[in-house]
Amino acid sequence: MSFDRSVKIAPSILSADFANFGAEIRAIEDQGADWVHIDVMDGHFVPNLTFGPPAVKAFRPHVKTVMDVHLMIAPVDPYIDAYAEAGADVLTAHIEAGPHIHRTLQAIRGAGMKAGVALNPGTPAEAVAHLLDLTDLICVMTVNPGFGGQKFIDMTAKIRTLREMIGDRPVHIEIDGGVDPSTAPLVVEAGADVLVAGSAVFRGGSVDQPEVYGQNMMAIRDSLK
Ligand code: DX5
Ligand code: ZN
């Protein structure tokens, strides 16, 4: 995975058909997804529950691009090796999920993955000031995590601050929550390069009508012109 700051679309399979993940992943990739975003929730750090390492491992053979795993769980550290074994390329932990994010990021890299750190809307950019050389991706949440389809919360000032703090380090800025053709231009202009989108990609489509996924992703790309 070489570093590339061009804009990437990472559909979140939280909005896919839960009985058909393999076909859904193949459909979004065929339609031009750059990464595949996987939302892991534990019913404790966030008030919703999705899937764990065995499911993520089962997704792996279907993902030809980048498997971007967003952990909304606490604690994180006991599960890092399981997600490495499941085949995550990027593993992102929330800074709010425990007292030792520095150690967590070291452990994620130590297990051979790219290390991401996610910030809830209430967490300031400055919280990552001492983590910039330990991280490969900063995920700026533009909703309170837990559910797809929520209203975008404007975090453009935070994104701008992070972009300045990052300088020329090879660190992605990922935006997660409420990204659609009306909000994507704001966050890209502020400095984001990875756009997670669940409802805005999957809405109206299905594995039998995958071209709708392609049109939805194209609408996001077109909004950036
Ligand atoms: C929210 C998840 C997001 C979510 C995005 O907790 O982390 O990845 O699926 O969904 P939309 O794009 O519908 O806001
Ligand atoms: Zn996510």
Side-chain angles (χ1 to χ4, degrees):
M1 222 182 124
S2 60
F3 188 78
D4 163 15
R5 217 189 287 285
S6 64
V7 174
K8 292 162 284 295
I9 298 186
S12 163
I13 62 165
L14 188 61
S15 294
D17 173 2
F18 269 43
N20 214 359
F21 282 124
E24 291 277 40
I25 290 168
R26 293 194 301 275
I28 53 174
E29 288 197 340
D30 285 348
Q31 293 295 322
D34 298 290
W35 290 13
V36 176
H37 185 83
I38 305 205
D39 286 309
V40 174
M41 304 188 187
D42 67 351
H44 162 75
F45 179 70
V46 289
N48 193 7
L49 196 55
T50 55
F51 26 69
V56 175
K57 190 173 189 171
F59 303 155
R60 179 68 266 186
H62 302 280
V63 179
K64 306 289 183 233
T65 58
V66 171
M67 190 157 82
D68 173 34
V69 179
H70 177 194
L71 298 181
M72 286 161 274
I73 68 173
V76 171
D77 295 9
Y79 300 99
I80 291 172
D81 288 343
Y83 285 100
E85 212 206 300
D89 294 305
V90 181
L91 192 67
T92 297
H94 269 262
I95 199 165
E96 306 86 3
H100 296 296
I101 187 69
H102 192 286
R103 174 188 292 157
T104 299
L105 294 172
Q106 285 179 319
I108 293 172
R109 280 191 172 172
M113 297 171 284
K114 299 282 184 193
V117 57
L119 306 182
N120 281 335
T123 302
E126 290 71 18
V128 300
H130 300 282
L131 303 172
L132 294 170
D133 293 314
L134 277 178
T135 188
D136 301 289
L137 174 147
I138 300 172
C139 175
V140 178
M141 295 303 304
T142 40
V143 296
N144 286 297
F147 303 94
Q150 303 184 80
K151 192 175 175 309
F152 177 81
I153 302 170
D154 189 350
M155 290 282 133
T156 46
K158 190 194 290 189
I159 299 165
R160 261 184 247 289
T161 304
L162 286 168
R163 189 76 275 282
E164 267 187 34
M165 289 165 66
I166 289 169
D168 52 18
R169 293 177 180 86
V171 179
H172 297 288
I173 299 183
E174 176 177 75
I175 308 303
D176 192 359
V179 173
D180 65 17
S182 70
T183 57
L186 302 173
V187 299
V188 169
E189 198 273 323
D193 65 301
V194 184
L195 304 180
V196 175
S199 44
V201 169
F202 285 91
R203 109 168 23 109
S206 69
V207 292
D208 299 319
Q209 273 187 298
E211 62 283 357
V212 177
Y213 299 158
Q215 290 156 9
N216 289 342
M217 284 187 268
M218 195 50 74
I220 295 173
R221 289 192 214 277
D222 284 345
S223 75
L224 305 175
K225 287 179 183 158

